[in-house]
């Protein structure tokens, strides 16, 4: 795991905080780790989508 050396403060509505705690408990990880995993997944998903769009654009050029 990467070294964690920065702090970021996020305010959550009570309902989201309860959902976060329940999911983290279910997975056996900390709430902070769950947030980090969700962030990584979201960034990767966006990046994959951008690559897919670029590939489609290239395919149109060659068809």
């Amino acid at each position: 795991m990467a070294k964690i050396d920065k702090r970021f403060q996020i305010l959550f509505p009570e309902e989201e905080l309860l959902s976060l705690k329940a999911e983290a408990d279910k997975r056996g990880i900390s709430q902070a780790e769950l947030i980090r995993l969700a962030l990584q997944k979201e960034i990767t998903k966006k990046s994959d989508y951008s690559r897919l769009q670029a590939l489609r654009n290239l395919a149109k050029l060659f068809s």
Side-chain angles (χ1 to χ4, degrees):
M1 177 185 284
K3 179 183 174 202
I4 299 171
D5 59 358
K6 300 289 180 191
R7 182 178 293 249
F8 191 85
Q9 183 174 351
I10 305 172
L11 300 175
F12 289 99
E14 187 67 25
E15 183 178 297
E16 288 179 357
L17 195 58
L18 292 172
S19 295
L20 177 65
K21 180 175 179 3
E23 185 63 26
D25 289 348
K26 183 173 118 181
R27 294 182 187 204
I29 60 176
S30 70
Q31 294 173 41
E33 182 64 16
L34 181 56
I35 292 169
R36 285 189 291 271
L37 289 171
L39 180 62
Q40 289 169 359
K41 183 176 181 181
E42 180 64 19
I43 290 170
T44 301
K45 183 173 77 172
K46 299 274 186 196
S47 178
D48 287 347
Y49 178 77
S50 296
R51 279 187 242 140
L52 180 59
Q53 286 299 104
L55 286 172
R56 285 182 178 154
N57 290 338
L58 280 173
K60 285 179 186 177
L61 290 173
F62 293 103
S63 59

